[in-house]
Amino acid sequence: DAKTTQPPSMDCAEGRAANLPCNHSTISGNEYVYWYRQIHSQGPQYIIHGLKNNETNEMASLIITEDRKSSTLILPHATLRDTAVYYCIVSVAGDSSYKLIFGSGTRLLVRP
Amino acid sequence: EAGVVQSPRYKIIEKKQPVAFWCNPISGHNTLYWYRQNLGQGPELLIRYENEEAVDDSQLPKDRFSAERLKGVDSTLKIQPAELGDSAVYLCASSFAFSGWTDTQYFGPGTRLTVL
C-alpha cells in the first residue's frame, strides 16, 4: 500500500501557483519524498525529490515540514500543460531495493 | 538524449491470444522496470531487472506473464494467454544503479493493451 495521502483533485488558475499537499506521517528516517506527474497518455515524469531540506529545480519547489510528516509541491506559475495527475511517493533512495509505490495521486486541473 | 522507447503504443487482441511488449531503455541504464497501470490507478511494479538478472519479480503473475532482458539492454514482456483483466497500460522504466545506489527512474510512454 502507498504510504502517502493526497487529495484526489485540485484546480488552480493559469499563471497562479499550484500547491499540492501530501501527508506521509509514517515516513522513515532514510526515506525520501519523490514527486512524479503523469500527463494524459504519457508515462510518469520525474519532478523532484528531497529528504528533509527544501528543494527547488526548474520545474518545481518541494517544501518538507520539519517533522517530515508532510510536504507540499509548488508549481510557481502553473500553465495549462501542467494539467496532470501528481504522485507523491516515499521511498528509500540509494538502496538496491529502491521501489516506487504509487498511490492514486492528485488530479490537478489548470484553468485558463 | 533519447528517452525510454516502447512499442507498440496500442494493442488490441482477443482473449486467449498471446501478446508481447518491447522496451528499449535509456542508453547506459542498467536497471529496467516493467509496471502495469490499471485505469484510474497508479502504476504497479511487475518486475525489475539489474542487467540481465530479474532481481524482483514477486508481483509478476508467472502463470501467464514472462519477461526477458537478453544482453542486459532491451526487454520483452509477454502475456500468454491474455485475459480480459489484463487490459491496462504497460509501462517500462529505466534507471542507473551501481554499488547499491539506484538513481531516478525514467518512464516510457507505455503500451495500452485492450483485451476483447
Side-chain angles (χ1 to χ4, degrees):
Chain A
D1 291 335
K3 300 180 182 179
T4 63
T5 303
Q6 299 177 254
S9 63
M10 296 181 63
D11 67 70
C12 74
E14 186 178 21
R16 304 299 293 269
N19 298 293
L20 290 87
C22 179
N23 287 320
H24 31 79
S25 57
T26 60
I27 191 170
S28 300
N30 62 346
E31 288 184 314
Y32 285 68
V33 180
Y34 286 82
W35 283 84
Y36 279 75
R37 74 179 182 184
Q38 189 170 25
I39 296 171
H40 183 63
S41 296
Q42 297 183 22
Q45 176 191 23
Y46 167 79
I47 301 173
I48 198 168
H49 75 282
L51 183 61
K52 51 185 174 182
N53 296 322
N54 297 337
E55 301 288 345
T56 296
N57 63 20
E58 65 278 5
M59 291 183 68
S61 295
L62 173 61
I63 308 298
I64 303 174
T65 58
E66 192 169 344
D67 63 7
R68 302 209 324 122
K69 292 185 177 182
S70 65
S71 60
T72 301
L73 179 74
I74 301 172
L75 307 178
H77 305 287
T79 70
L80 299 181
R81 288 175 293 181
D82 292 322
T83 292
V85 177
Y86 287 76
Y87 296 99
C88 170
I89 303 163
V90 296
S91 185
V92 177
D95 186 295
S96 59
S97 62
Y98 169 76
K99 180 183 293 186
L100 297 178
I101 299 177
F102 289 82
S104 298
T106 294
R107 186 172 299 276
L108 175 68
L109 174 65
V110 181
R111 295 177 279 103
Chain B
E1 177 182 299
V4 176
V5 179
Q6 292 188 246
S7 69
R9 289 296 314 276
Y10 304 91
K11 189 73 176 178
I12 301 174
I13 62 171
E14 299 205 342
K15 63 181 180 181
K16 300 185 181 179
Q17 294 300 306
V19 64
F21 315 121
W22 176 80
C23 173
N24 178 242
I26 291 172
S27 178
H29 282 189
N30 56 356
T31 304
L32 184 146
Y33 311 76
W34 282 103
Y35 288 82
R36 176 170 59 188
Q37 185 172 24
N38 293 315
L39 189 65
Q41 299 180 20
E44 297 177 308
L45 181 69
L46 291 175
I47 188 168
R48 177 169 70 95
Y49 282 92
E50 286 189 10
N51 301 303
E52 308 84 22
E53 182 182 1
V55 296
D56 183 355
D57 63 355
S58 57
Q59 301 303 311
L60 189 73
K62 298 180 181 64
D63 56 337
R64 298 182 299 106
F65 286 65
S66 65
E68 61 182 11
R69 191 183 184 202
L70 301 176
K71 300 181 181 179
V73 181
D74 295 358
S75 178
T76 302
L77 178 68
K78 298 178 182 178
I79 308 175
Q80 182 171 8
E83 297 179 351
L84 296 177
D86 296 330
S87 294
V89 175
Y90 291 83
L91 293 158
C92 180
S94 71
S95 66
F96 182 65
F98 66 98
S99 301
W101 175 270
T102 302
D103 206 351
T104 304
Q105 293 184 33
Y106 295 89
F107 286 79
T111 296
R112 181 177 296 277
L113 173 67
T114 301
V115 182
L116 303 175

